[in-house]
Each structure stands twice: as structure tokens, then as C-alpha cells.
């Protein structure tokens, strides 16, 4: 309409460079327009004909309004379902200042520890909390959910146990989703899962481990001591899945002999979110520290001798151990672990105990009332969960009364009721009125004098460290959280150009819906009549992702890229089995692959055969052909990343896929690099059978400092019947051929799917395609600006890269004694986070700017890299000392510069203000260079006594 002008689109906000800047960058590359760039980088043979068929892009305002409408189709009932999920109160100070704060949620996994001390400290608090509550010696910094944590405990026990058994006992009293995920994991490894009654199991069949639930899924608190002794007597390891809140009152697993404890910290202030994201925990004994899955934060010291934190025992992890790895976990649940740890900091030991006691007392009250009403309660010993036997009462009538009061209970052969932090006395009255089948009770609740009933009262202290006892006023906590945040470099400071990790904009509009109660306060096992909004969200997102990837079916269940790999390979495994080809178990994986690839293959019971790369970094086609043919009869799959991990669109990708198919295999594509493909080509069109998408890379879910993430998979039509299902919840994927569940919740971390939905809804097909083009442009611009200073290792046919480029720094070692790490640390003095270091090629840096960075920011980064190259040249020319120089001593802390004596041959200004922008805004590294080896020799993974910080 005339007079009404189109306002600036969301795509223009998301994409960093404006049209003028795009023009300038194209000019530097000698190209006429973006299409010319795409024509030269993406092989013609795989280009998408036409454009993505997605809804028209919406403005931020309109998309929010539309999603609000969808959200309103969800009905928020009070859920007393339990089963490992509890409503809880997110302290508003934590919600606003962590969950909704880009200073926390846009940070990356803390590999560059000197500029990540804040979240490392928060994670150390989390580990300390878990160690204290479980009574075990060490804990990791989170896993994905309780069910996969239990499965990790099973495989760890399998590796450790010496009794040669291959059976794992799982108590039937575990949560059903946990049992299911453990079973899924066991099958490809040939582990026999025995689900049974721990009270009658006699260990006649040898087992390498056992899994118990504490309190049990129906609420009963069992005394497991004699069972644990029997398990240990046959050499089996004992894993206890425990509710951490109950452990404030109950004897912790470590004190009754458990070797491993796992569980979910969801009820420590994390919204239900229809299944996630939540942080699971994993704790064990010190002697098993090298077998622990996931990341462990440990204490070490920096170059000044001050305590400093970093990720410990890295050589355990899949990226180092590859096919020797016992776990593929990479992205975990850092942001949620930070929140859960802060919840403990906020409440302290007395506060947590108080919450637990309130819940327990209300539960006792409820039990007394139910008994007066003539009901039988399943057990005498419980914490927060009752199982109620109905006797001759009519279930239908009770359900109708629940419906009228908008209450959900756990309906099974008995009825389960689980209370939580949000439960009030009036909720208890509501529940009693439901079971009384009358709106007036024959007694008052005051008459029901609660008496405590726990046979296993905890006597040991917990959370005694000052950090859990000094920040209980909001002012103190706010400042503590802000202090930690200020130590961390996130996207709020500067670009984080991590190759393969796609640290793009996480727009505020995308983040807003995450904390809406219509999405947050829904139990994962709530009836689907209450989750219509979520069903619409899933259906639309699945359709859009299918269109973007060219696949027929999508599963939103896997909680990270690694889990997508695992699920995708299981789909392939099921497919072969369905055709009677059970012997197909060889997985070809190029040498350049991400460490999760071989680790996932091994978890699926496959044998990894590496494929060489040629001098151009491409898959060596001859080697691939030779190996595919050699293993023709056992070939299960190829795992391939596209564009390659070397940042190039390999020309013969179609041929690569054909070779695999011709030899009976399936093609698994690692979709971590999807940001280079969206709108330009589709894996489903050029030969891939399965592909995972990292929604926390390409589709804007923030990395959260190392999680959450989402790793849905797309599959070709012939693989759709094999997608993951779920035993608790009715979903389309449930069918006889389905592999079962790979996550605790049917749609994984459902609440953060809103972020990717918003992104796609606001970008539309054309916007997404433009984003891809600019991502490729930005990478090529950096490559062009830097290539005369640092050689660009691999390029495509036309001398161009895809959406990332590898800078070769290896010659600097010889010429100046400079290692890639020295440059990474020196970048901190310039206010930048280093690119990906030494992967996929040792001694290099892989730079991925993404489309969200403006030309100005790209130039600043390039200027920093060029300036560092000049600093190195001074060493090469012998003008400055080879040891005592700005690179070797980087990063420079304020403390190290503000000393009365200064003995270095360079000035303090050179150290701290190497570029003009650092004077305008200086990001100070919190600690000097960290000594990794020291910390691994002296492993400490819980909070240090305060004295440690005062020495200096
Ligand atoms: C990030 C990444 C993965 C793993 O994804 P997570 O979500 O961390 O498990 C796998 N492959 C490649 C190439 C990646 O970049």
C-alpha cells in the first residue's frame, strides 16, 4: 500500500554485513555478486533447483504473536506425575541473570579456559554440590538426561568390571524411560539387560553391574545395603539413580556403597519444558576418574601460581580417543548445570533441606488424609511420592475430578502422586477432595498431624563450602553471578569464530518464548490433549527441517549432535537387520572426522575402518572405493561430513555416496556444517540416507557455555519406520520397527525447539539462503585478507573455501618457536576468542565467522591476526626475545601488569593495548596461562578451601 513502507526485515538484523559491505567484500574477492560466489564454491551437480518451500518470513513482532497463539493451545495443568520430572521455582534472579542473559547463554564450551573462569567456577560449584549430595568423590559437569546418564553408567561399569559377565541388572522400580534407554543402548553392544525385582534377584546369572532407583519410581525408599553387598560380592558395580533433592534428607548413595550415582538436577530451578533441557549428573569414585564420561572441571594453577580452572583429564574424551572412546558425549547441559548449581548457592544447605522437608511434610499429610479416606498407600517409606491403591473406587470418576481441577496424576496399575517445591497446602486439599469424591472433606487438614517416616535419615553434612553459604541475599547473589559473568568472553564482547561450531547470532526474539510458562511448565508425560501447541510446533518444525534437508522423516528426540549420530547409526543398523543383513557392521570414517563419529559408531556395535584424505584434504576416492569393495559384504555405513571438516565442498560427493550404496552401505552425513548448505543444496538430494542437524549451530540455539543443544536427525523414506519412539508417550514413531528411545523425553529438549522455530519463521526460505551465502562470503573474505600472512590450508577448485577456512600456523614453530596455543592466548589480549585450535589438523586454526558478523567485526579480527603476525615476525628477525615476548606470556592479566617492577623487554601498553579498540573496551583475562598438566597430576574437581585464593 502506498505510504506504508516495509520495515527492516529480521534477515537484515540476523545477517551482519549490509548490502554495501557485501559489495565491498565481493570486490575484494573479485566477484560480481553473491551468486557468482556460490557458483564457484558449491558444485553445480548438487545445487538445489528452485528455492526452499517455506512460509513467508515474519517480522519479529509477528512471529512472536504467532508463536504465542500456538503456545496458547498448550494447557498448563498442575502435574503430580513425578517419574523424574518435577515442577519447581526458578528463582527470578537466576532466570533473568543467567537463563535470559546472553552473557551466560552465548558463551562457548570453556576450552579457552583463561577467558571462561566464570562458568568454570559455576560448574565447579555444580560438581561440588553433586559430590556432597551423593556422598561420592568426583562428579562431571553434566550429562544430557537421567536416562542417558544411566546408560553411560552401564557402559562404564562394563568397561571396568573384571568378572567377564555381560548382563546388567536393572531394578524394575527404575523410571520406565530410563529402563528403555538403557535397553536401547545395551542391544548393539550385546549386553543382556535383566529387568527384575532387586528383592528376589539372587545373582545366579553373573552381572557386571546393577542399576537401582532411589527413591524408587513409585516413591518407595528401599534400604539397598544388603543388595549392594551382594552385588559387590560378585564383583559387580552398583549405580544408583537418585533424586538429588531427596538426598538432603536421605543417606546418600556413596554412604551405602554405590560406585556410581546418576540423576537429573531438573528440580533445582530448571523449568520442566516438556522434557528439557535439564542437566543430568554423574558421580563416582576417584579411582574411576579416567573412565568418567563427559567433561570434568578441575583446579590447576596459572603462570602466576594462582588457582585457575580448566577442563581436566581431556585425554579421556572422545575427540582424543576416537574409536577407543567409551562415550560419545560432547555438548552437554552446561547452562542448566550452571543454573542448578546457582540454585544451591541461592538456597544453601539449610534452604534446600527446608524445601525438601516441606515437600515431605505435605506428602505425609496427604498420605494421612488418603488413609483416612480409606485408601491404601503402597509403601510406608517415601519422600515425595505416594502410590495409591484405589480398591473398589472408580478410576473414571477420579480422573474426571482431576480434569475439573486441572490436575495430572500418574495413572498406572496404581495411581502415583508426586509433590514438589510448588505444592501448597491448598493443592493437598484439592488432591484430597479429588480422592474423597466430594468437595468437602470429613476432616480438617489440621487434624492430620504429620510425623516423619524416613528410615534412612541423613547424618552427614553437605554444602558446607562458603560459596553455598554467603550469597543468600539477592544483592549478594546478583553481584556474585555478575562477577562470574564478567570473567567470561561471550558473543556479547566479540565474535567467536570457532570452526565447525557456528557461533552465530542467538536473537533475543528467538529466546523470549523459551521462558513462557505455556512451554516451560509442561510435564513431558502430560496427556497430549494438553500439549496441542507443542504438537503444532513439532509438526511445523519437522516439516521445515525436512524441506531444508530434503529428507522424508525427522526425529526431534536426540539431545545433541552426538546423540543424533548415535540415533542415526542405529536407524541404519535396524534397517540392515530388517533386511536380514545383521552382519553389516563396518563403518567407514574419513580420518578428518570429528571424534564423536567413531565414538558413536563403536557405541552402535560397529567396527571403524578409517579412510584416507588426500593432500587437498578431500576424501581419497581411490582409498574409499578400495575399502568399500573390500568390506562389501559387511559394509554398514559411511560417516561423512559435508562440506568436509576441511571447509571445502568436495566435488565428487555424489560419487562418494554412490560407491557406498553400490556396496550395500548407507550414507550417514554429519550435518554440523549445514550452515554452508541451507538453501543451496540438500543432503537428501545428493545421496545421504541420514543426517543430523545441530540446532545449536545452524539453527540458533545458543551454546550455553557447552550446552544445551539439540541434534535431530533427518532420514530418507526407506528409513522412516526405524526412527526413535518412546514407551511412555504415544508418538507417530512408535511402531514395531522403531529402535526404541534414545533420550528420556520423547521430543528431547522440547522447550528450546522454539528457538529454531522462531529463526526459520522469521528468516523464510530466501532469508535462510541469503544467510548461507553471506556465511560463505564472510569466510572467503577472511581467507583472502589473511592468506598472505597465514597460508589457507585447503581450498576448492576455484580457490575458494566454504563457510570456514583453515589457517596453517605450523611453519611458525620452526621460524619463531611459536605454537598455535601462543596465538590463541595472544588473541585474548586483543579481546578475541580463538578459532578452533588444532582440529581437524594439528597446528592450525579453523575460522568460521558465520553470517552474523559484520564486515567491521571481520576486519577487527583480521587486523588482530595480522598484528599478531607482525609480533611473530619480530621474533623471527631476532628483534625480540624468543621466550620473553608478548605471545609466550599471553594472556596478560591486569594483575600481572600492575606491578611495581616490570622486567619484560616489551611495554605494558604493548601487552594490554595492542589494538585501538582495546582502549575503548578492554576485556581482561581473569587468569594467566593455565598449566594443564599440573592440574591433571593433582586432580581436584570440587571447590577449593577459601585460603587457596588468598595466597597469590
Ligand atoms: C559439533 C560437532 C559434532 C557434535 O555435536 P555435539 O552437539 O557437540 O554432540 C559432531 N560433528 C561435528 C563435525 C561437529 O562440529
Amino acid at each position: 500500500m502506498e505510504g506504508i513502507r516495509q520495515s527492516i526485515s529480521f534477515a537484515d538484523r540476523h545477517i551482519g554485513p549490509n548490502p554495501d559491505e557485501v559489495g565491498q567484500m565481493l570486490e575484494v574477492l573479485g566477484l560480481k555478486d553473491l551468486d557468482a560466489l556460490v557458483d564457484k564454491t558449491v558444485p553445480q551437480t548438487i545445487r538445489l533447483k528452485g528455492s526452499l518451500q517455506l512460509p513467508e518470513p515474519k517480522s519479529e513482532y509477528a512471529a512472536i504473536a504467532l508463536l504465542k497463539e500456538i503456545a496458547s493451545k498448550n494447557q498448563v495443568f498442575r502435574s503430580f506425575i513425578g517419574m523424574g520430572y518435577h515442577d519447581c521455582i526458578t528463582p527470578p534472579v537466576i532466570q533473568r541473570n543467567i537463563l535470559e542473559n546472553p552473557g551466560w547463554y552465548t558463551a562457548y564450551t570453556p576450552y579457552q579456559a583463561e577467558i571462561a573462569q566464570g562458568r568454570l567456577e559455576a560448574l565447579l560449584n555444580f560438581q561440588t554440590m553433586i559430590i556432597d549430595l551423593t556422598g561420592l568423590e568426583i562428579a562431571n559437569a553434566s550429562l544430557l538426561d537421567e536416562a542417558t546418564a544411566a546408560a553411560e553408567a552401564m557402559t562404564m561399569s562394563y568397561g571396568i568390571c573384571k568378572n567377564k559377565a555381560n548382563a546388567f541388572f536393572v531394578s524394575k522400580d527404575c523410571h520406565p524411560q530410563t529402563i528403555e534407554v538403557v535397553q536401547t543402548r545395551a542391544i548393539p553392544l550385546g549386553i543382556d539387560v535383566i529387568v527384575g525385582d532387586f528383592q528376589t534377584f539372587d545373582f545366579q546369572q553373573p552381572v557386571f553391574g546393577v542399576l537401582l532407583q532411589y527413591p524408587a519410581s513409585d516413591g518407595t525408599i528401599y534400604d539397598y545395603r544388603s543388595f549392594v553387598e551382594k552385588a559387590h560380592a560378585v564383583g559387580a558395580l552398583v549405580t544408583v539413580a537418585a533424586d538429588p533433592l531427596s538426598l538432603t534428607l536421605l543417606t546418600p548413595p556413596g554412604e551405602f556403597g554405590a560406585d556410581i550415582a546418576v540423576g537429573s538436577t531438573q528440580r533445582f530451578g530448571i523449568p520442566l519444558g516438556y522434557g528439557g533441557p535439564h542437566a543430568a549428573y554423574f558421580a563416582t569414585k576417584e579411582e574411576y576418574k579416567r573412565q568418567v564420561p563427559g567433561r570434568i572441571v578441575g583446579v590447576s594453577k596459572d603462570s602466576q601460581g594462582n588457582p585457575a580452572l580448566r577442563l581436566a583429564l581431556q585425554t579421556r574424551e572422545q575427540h582424543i580417543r576416537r574409536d577407543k572412546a567409551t562415550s560419545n558425549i560432547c555438548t552437554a547441559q552446561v547452562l542448566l548445570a550452571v543454573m542448578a548449581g546457582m540454585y544451591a548457592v541461592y538456597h544453601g544447605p539449610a534452604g534446600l533441606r527446608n524445601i525438601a522437608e516441606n515437600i515431605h511434610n505435605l506428602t505425609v499429610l496427604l498420605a494421612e488424609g488418603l488413609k483416612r479416606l480409606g485408601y491404601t498407600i503402597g509403601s510406608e517409606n517415601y519422600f515425595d511420592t505416594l502410590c495409591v491403591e484405589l480398591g473398589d473406587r472408580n478410576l473414571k470418576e477420579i480422573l474426571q475430578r482431576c480434569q475439573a481441577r486441572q490436575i495430572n496424576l500418574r495413572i498406572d496399575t496404581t495411581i502415583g502422586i508426586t509433590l514438589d517445591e510448588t505444592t501448597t497446602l491448598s493443592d493437598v486439599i484439592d488432591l484430597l477432595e479429588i480422592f474423597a469424591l466430594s468437595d468437602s472433606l470429613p476432616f480438617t487438614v489440621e487434624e492430620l498431624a504429620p510425623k516423619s517416616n524416613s528410615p534412612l535419615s541423613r547424618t552427614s553434612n553437605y554444602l558446607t563450602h562458603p560459596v553455598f553459604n554467603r550469597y543468600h541475599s539477592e544483592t549478594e547473589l546478583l553481584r556474585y553471578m555478575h562477577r562470574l559473568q564478567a570473567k567470561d568472553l561471550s558473543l556479547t564482547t566479540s565474535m567467536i569464530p570457532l570452526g565447525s561450531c557456528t557461533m552465530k547470532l542467538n536473537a533475543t526474539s528467538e529466546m523470549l518464548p523459551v521462558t513462557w510458562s505455556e512451554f516451560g511448565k509442561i510435564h513431558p508425560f502430560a496427556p497430549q490433549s494438553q500439549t496441542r501447541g507443542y504438537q503444532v510446533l513439532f509438526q511445523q518444525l519437522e516439516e521445515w527441517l525436512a524441506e531444508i534437508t530434503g529428507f522424508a522423516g525427522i526425529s526431534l528426540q536426540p539431545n545433541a549432535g552426538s546423540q543424533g549420530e548415535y540415533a542415526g547409526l542405529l536407524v541404519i543398523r535396524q534397517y540392515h537387520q530388517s533386511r536380514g543383513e545383521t552382519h553389516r557392521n563396518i563403518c567407514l570414517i574419513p580420518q578428518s572426522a570429528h571424534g564423536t563419529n567413531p565414538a558413536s559408531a563403536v557405541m552402535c556395535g560397529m567396527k571403524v575402518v578409517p579412510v584416507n584424505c588426500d593432500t587437498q584434504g578431500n576424501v581419497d576416492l581411490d582409498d574409499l572405493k578400495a575399502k568399500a569393495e573390500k568390506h562389501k559384504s559387511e559394509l554398514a555405513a559411511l560417516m561423512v561430513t559435508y562440506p568436509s571438516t576441511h571447509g571445502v565442498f568436495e566435488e565428487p560427493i555424489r560419487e562418494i555416496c554412490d560407491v557406498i550404496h553400490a556396496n550395500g552401505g548407507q550414507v550417514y552425513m554429519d550435518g554440523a556444517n549445514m550452515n554452508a548448505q541451507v538453501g543451496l543444496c540438500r543432503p537428501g538430494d545428493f545421496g545421504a540416507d541420514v543426517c543430523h542437524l545441530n540446532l545449536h549451530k545452524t539453527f540458533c540455539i545458543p551454546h550455553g557455555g557447552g550446552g544445551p543443544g539439540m541434534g535431530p536427525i533427518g532420514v530418507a523414506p526407506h528409513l522412516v519406520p526405524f526412527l526413535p519412539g518412546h514407551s511412555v508417550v504415544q508418538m507417530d514413531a512408535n511402531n514395531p520397527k522403531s529402535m526404541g528411545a534414545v533420550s528420556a523425553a520423547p521430543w528431547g529438549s522440547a522447550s528450546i525447539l522454539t528457538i529454531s522455530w522462531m529463526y526459520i519463521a522469521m528468516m523464510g526460505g530466501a532469508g535462510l539462503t541469503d544467510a548461507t551465502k553471506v556465511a560463505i562470503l564472510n569466510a572467503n573474505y577472511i581467507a583472502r585478507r589473511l592468506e598472505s600472512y597465514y597460508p589457507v590450508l585447503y581450498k576448492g577448485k576455484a580457490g575458494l573455501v566454504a563457510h570456514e577456512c583453515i589457517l596453517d600456523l605450523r611453519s611458525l614453530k620452526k621460524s619463531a618457536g611459536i605454537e598455535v596455543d601462543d596465538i590463541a592466548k595472544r588473541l585474548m589480549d586483543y579481546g578475541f576468542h580463538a578459532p578452533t585450535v588444532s582440529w581437524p589438523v594439528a597446528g592450525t586454526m579453523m575460522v568460521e565467522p558465520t553470517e552474523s558478523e559484520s564486515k567491521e567485526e571481520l576486519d577487527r579480527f583480521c587486523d588482530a591476526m595480522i598484528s599478531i603476525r607482525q609480533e611473530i615476525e619480530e621474533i623471527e628477525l631476532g628483534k625480540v626475545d624468543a621466550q620473553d615476548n608478548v605471545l609466550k606470556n599471553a594472556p596478560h592479566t591486569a594483575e600481572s601488569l600492575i606491578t611495581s617492577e616490570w622486567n619484560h623487554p616489551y611495554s605494558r601498553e604493548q601487552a594490554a593495548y595492542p589494538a585501538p579498540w582495546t582502549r575503548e573496551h578492554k576485556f581482561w583475562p581473569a587468569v594467566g596461562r593455565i598449566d594443564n598438566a599440573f592440574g591433571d597430576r593433582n586432580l581436584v574437581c570440587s571447590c577449593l578451601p577459601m585460603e587457596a585464593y588468598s595466597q597469590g
Side-chain angles (χ1 to χ4, degrees):
M1 209 188 303
E2 221 175 308
I4 298 183
R5 228 164 290 133
Q6 198 79 49
S7 62
I8 177 168
S9 72
F10 173 74
D12 293 330
R13 305 267 181 210
H14 174 84
I15 295 173
N18 63 32
D20 283 348
E21 293 175 331
V22 167
Q24 290 162 27
M25 291 195 280
L26 284 167
E27 208 166 299
V28 171
L29 294 171
L31 293 165
K32 122 176 151 304
D33 55 24
L34 282 172
D35 290 331
L37 171 68
V38 174
D39 288 343
K40 281 183 183 296
T41 42
V42 187
Q44 272 311 324
T45 49
I46 62 168
R47 286 286 297 279
L48 176 67
K49 313 274 178 296
S51 54
L52 290 177
Q53 300 303 303
L54 294 170
E56 283 301 301
K58 317 233 163 3
S59 69
E60 296 179 59
Y61 185 78
I64 285 277
L66 181 58
L67 191 54
K68 194 82 196 173
E69 206 181 298
I70 294 173
S72 71
K73 298 189 204 307
N74 287 335
Q75 281 181 288
V76 180
F77 277 33
R78 281 174 289 171
S79 279
F80 299 94
I81 299 171
M83 301 173 79
Y85 298 95
H86 312 264
D87 199 5
C88 60
I89 298 168
T90 309
V93 62
I94 294 176
Q95 175 172 329
R96 173 155 295 184
N97 297 290
I98 293 183
L99 180 56
E100 299 174 337
N101 180 349
W104 284 94
Y105 67 67
T106 70
Y108 183 65
T109 310
Y111 283 125
Q112 295 296 335
E114 292 85 354
I115 51 175
Q117 291 292 299
R119 57 195 185 278
L120 285 164
E121 180 171 330
L123 292 171
L124 196 70
N125 294 346
F126 174 83
Q127 291 177 180
T128 304
M129 169 183 95
I130 296 302
I131 289 169
D132 281 10
L133 289 175
T134 59
L136 282 158
E137 290 157 358
I138 58 168
N140 73 9
S142 82
L143 289 178
L144 295 166
D145 58 31
E146 177 166 324
T148 52
E152 295 283 352
M154 170 180 71
T155 45
M156 186 177 117
S157 302
Y158 196 35
I160 290 171
C161 181
K162 302 263 176 330
N163 74 7
K164 300 217 166 71
N166 81 330
F168 187 64
F169 175 82
V170 177
S171 163
K172 67 174 177 43
D173 298 307
C174 291
H175 296 313
Q177 71 275 16
T178 303
I179 298 177
E180 189 184 13
V181 170
V182 166
Q183 282 169 326
T184 306
R185 283 274 185 104
I187 291 167
L189 299 175
I191 293 172
D192 184 11
V193 173
I194 308 167
V195 180
D197 184 346
F198 84 94
Q199 304 190 78
T200 55
F201 185 66
D202 56 10
F203 290 93
Q204 284 305 309
Q205 177 174 0
V207 295
F208 63 82
V210 303
L211 174 67
L212 302 165
Q213 187 92 45
Y214 183 64
S217 192
D218 71 359
T220 312
I221 299 168
Y222 291 108
D223 183 346
Y224 288 127
R225 277 172 292 201
S226 67
F227 182 78
V228 169
E229 275 170 27
K230 280 187 254 170
H232 283 163
V234 299
L237 274 79
V238 175
T239 298
V240 174
D243 166 10
L245 189 61
S246 74
L247 299 182
T248 60
L249 303 180
L250 304 181
T251 302
E255 289 176 22
F256 61 77
D259 302 287
I260 303 169
V262 298
S264 167
T265 60
Q266 180 266 315
R267 70 191 310 183
F268 281 35
I270 317 300
L272 288 163
Y274 201 38
H278 315 133
Y281 72 81
F282 189 105
T284 186
K285 298 179 171 166
E286 169 110 29
E287 60 182 299
Y288 304 136
K289 66 186 178 194
R290 297 207 174 271
Q291 282 80 38
V292 174
R295 302 195 170 109
I296 301 176
V297 174
V299 184
S300 189
K301 59 177 189 181
D302 77 353
S303 51
Q304 318 290 308
N306 291 319
L309 309 174
R310 90 283 172 246
L311 298 175
L313 303 173
Q314 289 260 289
T315 50
R316 294 171 306 119
E317 290 190 35
Q318 33 71 18
H319 58 273
I320 309 273
R321 307 212 347 122
R322 305 181 72 87
D323 58 332
K324 305 277 181 315
T326 47
S327 164
N328 65 348
I329 179 100
C330 183
T331 289
Q333 301 280 18
V334 167
L335 190 72
L336 301 313
V338 166
M339 286 176 68
M342 282 303 173
Y343 180 89
V345 169
Y346 177 76
H347 287 294
L352 287 185
R353 193 182 175 96
N354 195 30
I355 292 168
E357 279 173 349
N358 276 340
I359 295 172
H360 181 62
N361 291 340
L362 287 172
T363 312
V364 175
L365 205 66
L366 177 64
E368 290 299 309
L370 287 168
K371 281 189 216 160
R372 287 239 200 159
L373 293 171
Y375 289 88
T376 309
I377 304 299
S379 65
E380 277 305 311
N381 300 318
Y382 50 79
F383 163 55
D384 64 356
T385 298
L386 302 175
C387 94
V388 187
E389 287 160 25
L390 287 190
D392 54 5
R393 248 64 62 104
N394 185 334
L395 175 64
K396 218 165 134 207
E397 197 180 344
I398 289 180
L399 292 181
Q400 276 164 0
R401 297 178 64 77
C402 285
Q403 185 72 22
R405 285 173 173 72
Q406 301 213 311
I407 279 179
N408 291 323
L409 304 177
R410 178 177 181 184
I411 310 299
D412 216 320
T413 45
T414 55
I415 290 188
I417 312 175
T418 301
L419 306 193
D420 60 55
E421 185 189 2
T422 68
T423 310
T424 61
L425 197 58
S426 82
D427 292 324
V428 171
I429 293 170
D430 271 352
L431 287 165
L432 287 171
E433 285 175 1
I434 287 171
F435 284 88
L437 306 176
S438 151
D439 290 350
S440 69
L441 295 175
F443 50 78
T444 67
V445 283
E446 285 75 23
E447 290 167 48
L448 308 169
K451 53 178 184 345
S452 193
N453 71 337
S454 170
L456 291 170
S457 317
R458 177 164 190 149
T459 53
S460 51
N461 287 334
Y462 47 87
L463 307 183
T464 54
H465 191 274
V467 77
F468 300 109
N469 293 282
R470 65 197 302 185
Y471 304 119
H472 296 169
S473 81
E474 180 160 331
T475 305
E476 285 295 337
L477 182 66
L478 179 69
R479 289 180 191 151
Y480 176 57
M481 294 189 308
H482 188 74
R483 255 187 340 264
L484 296 189
Q485 179 195 329
K487 292 181 182 182
D488 286 9
L489 191 139
S490 68
L491 286 175
T492 61
T493 295
S494 52
M495 71 189 287
I496 301 184
L498 284 162
S500 205
C501 300
T502 316
M503 298 290 289
K504 57 165 69 172
L505 171 75
N506 314 117
T508 309
S509 289
E510 291 154 6
M511 294 301 292
L512 286 177
V514 172
T515 42
W516 291 350
S517 63
E518 299 95 313
F519 290 125
K521 279 179 92 70
I522 300 208
H523 192 286
F525 306 146
Q528 287 185 28
S529 55
Q530 294 163 26
T531 61
R532 296 256 153 79
Y534 262 121
Q535 305 312 323
V536 171
L537 177 87
F538 300 153
Q539 196 199 332
Q540 294 187 347
L541 187 59
E542 285 177 13
E543 270 172 28
W544 299 346
L545 294 177
E547 169 65 14
I548 288 167
T549 55
F551 283 118
I554 302 280
S555 168
L556 297 171
Q557 195 175 97
N559 272 319
S562 65
Q563 308 300 296
E565 291 174 22
Y566 176 71
L569 289 177
L570 273 192
V571 165
I572 291 175
R573 185 175 182 276
Q574 295 280 103
Y575 167 74
H576 288 313
Q577 299 212 329
S578 76
R579 294 158 46 97
E581 309 215 297
T582 47
H583 51 280
R584 293 200 171 268
N585 74 335
I586 298 277
C587 188
L588 301 181
I589 303 183
Q591 273 165 345
S592 60
H594 195 263
T596 49
N597 289 191
S600 300
V602 169
M603 285 169 63
C604 289
M606 294 182 183
K607 227 176 96 204
V608 175
V609 173
V611 178
N612 295 336
C613 290
D614 65 17
T615 51
Q616 295 307 301
N618 296 320
V619 172
D620 178 340
L621 207 54
D622 292 334
D623 193 47
L624 178 85
K625 277 184 189 150
K627 284 177 175 151
E629 274 159 30
K630 177 170 173 217
H631 299 287
K632 191 179 178 69
S633 56
E634 303 106 71
L635 185 63
L638 164 77
M639 288 187 94
V640 61
T641 306
Y642 199 74
S644 72
T645 48
H646 292 151
V648 180
F649 281 99
E650 283 167 76
E651 296 284 332
I653 186 67
R654 264 183 195 279
E655 199 181 340
I656 289 173
C657 296
D658 291 345
V659 168
I660 298 304
H661 289 141
N663 289 286
Q666 293 279 292
V667 176
Y668 182 95
M669 190 161 286
D670 179 327
N673 287 346
M674 195 66 203
N675 210 45
Q677 294 191 51
V678 177
L680 302 181
C681 56
R682 311 194 303 174
D685 292 347
F686 58 80
D689 300 289
V690 193
C691 169
H692 80 259
L693 299 171
N694 281 336
L695 298 188
H696 49 303
K697 293 177 181 173
T698 312
F699 295 94
C700 296
I701 293 177
H703 279 66
M710 273 298 271
I713 54 174
V715 299
H718 63 288
L719 298 179
V720 172
F722 307 101
L723 287 173
H726 200 278
S727 62
V728 180
V729 173
Q730 188 49 48
M731 53 193 301
D732 290 346
N734 287 350
N735 69 60
K737 289 182 175 171
S738 162
M739 66 167 82
V742 293
S743 301
W747 291 277
S749 299
S751 65
I752 52 173
L753 293 174
T754 51
I755 301 168
S756 300
W757 187 98
M758 282 291 292
Y759 175 57
I760 299 172
M762 296 190 294
M763 293 293 276
L768 289 172
T769 309
D770 284 346
T772 310
K773 292 175 182 172
V774 175
I776 295 173
L777 174 68
N778 279 359
N780 277 288
Y781 177 71
I782 288 187
R784 184 60 57 90
R785 266 209 71 190
L786 292 181
E787 69 188 345
S788 55
Y789 303 91
Y790 306 95
V792 171
L793 194 51
Y794 301 114
K795 291 180 189 168
K797 230 172 42 189
L800 294 166
V801 297
H803 66 313
E804 56 193 8
C805 64
I806 298 180
L807 303 176
D808 191 350
L809 312 175
R810 289 173 294 191
S811 69
L812 303 174
K813 179 150 187 205
K814 219 185 263 157
S815 68
I818 290 299
E819 312 262 355
V820 59
D821 251 9
D822 298 322
I823 299 176
K825 303 307 173 192
R826 182 60 175 154
L827 272 170
M828 296 174 185
D829 288 335
Y830 285 81
F832 281 106
H833 190 290
T836 300
V837 167
S838 284
W839 188 81
V841 182
T844 67
M845 279 186 173
M846 181 156 64
V847 186
E848 180 183 358
T850 82
E851 70 278 11
S852 298
E853 298 301 340
S854 65
K855 176 169 179 293
E856 204 176 326
E857 183 70 358
L858 302 182
D859 281 332
R860 246 168 31 88
F861 174 74
C862 291
D863 291 346
M865 288 298 290
I866 292 167
S867 171
I868 290 172
R869 184 65 188 88
Q870 281 152 2
E871 292 170 354
I872 296 169
E873 192 176 318
E874 305 230 305
I875 305 172
E876 290 170 338
L877 297 172
K879 287 193 193 159
V880 305
D881 189 85
Q883 279 316 310
D884 192 358
N885 59 56
V886 284
L887 282 117
K888 288 287 174 194
N889 294 336
H892 294 84
T893 61
E895 193 190 349
S896 74
L897 295 169
I898 307 169
T899 51
S900 36
E901 246 178 88
W902 179 256
N903 297 322
H904 299 292
Y906 53 90
S907 74
R908 293 164 159 121
E909 283 86 353
Q910 267 177 295
Y913 296 113
W917 62 82
T918 55
R919 290 186 186 269
E920 198 182 317
H921 175 67
K922 174 68 188 172
F923 181 87
W924 288 102
V927 297
R929 185 109 41 121
I930 298 176
D931 184 342
N932 282 316
F934 174 82
D936 281 354
R937 281 195 307 273
N938 311 278
L939 184 69
V940 175
C941 67
S942 59
C943 298
L944 281 186
M946 294 312 285
E947 306 86 75
Y949 291 90
S950 48
Q951 299 156 4

